[in-house]
Amino acid sequence: MVATVLAQASGGGAGIMGQVFLFGSIILIMYFFMIRPQQKKQKETKKFIEEIKKGEDVVTIGGLHGKVSSVEGDVVILELDRGFKVKVEKSAISMDFSKKPTK
């Protein structure tokens, strides 16, 4: 009877280690497939917004297409048409639509 209890107790410990390994593996997979790519994209977007300069063609989050007329701190003045200028926040410029598609 004592041998049976000891056998069950030692078997339970191995099961817990397996569960810990499985849980750790799931966290690792989530990090590499979800969290890390998102952080990389955020860094690229931040770099793009900081490097906006006069003369670039950009698209805002709202869908306005224009050319950067000037940059004043966190505000960008877009020229939508000859003489028609709009003031927008830098954070309202979309990196995804502003970049030219590579073929």
Side-chain angles (χ1 to χ4, degrees), residues 5 9-11 34 44-45 49 58-59 63 76 90 92:
V5 172
S10 66
M34 295 174 70
E44 289 174 358
T45 302
I49 289 175
V58 295
V59 181
V76 175
K90 275 187 173 180

Side-chain angles (χ1 to χ4, degrees), residues 57-60 62-67 78-81 97-98:
D57 290 322
V58 295
V59 181
T60 65
L64 295 174
H65 294 250
K67 185 173 280 198
L78 293 180
E79 186 170 1
L80 302 179
D81 197 12
F97 295 113
S98 295

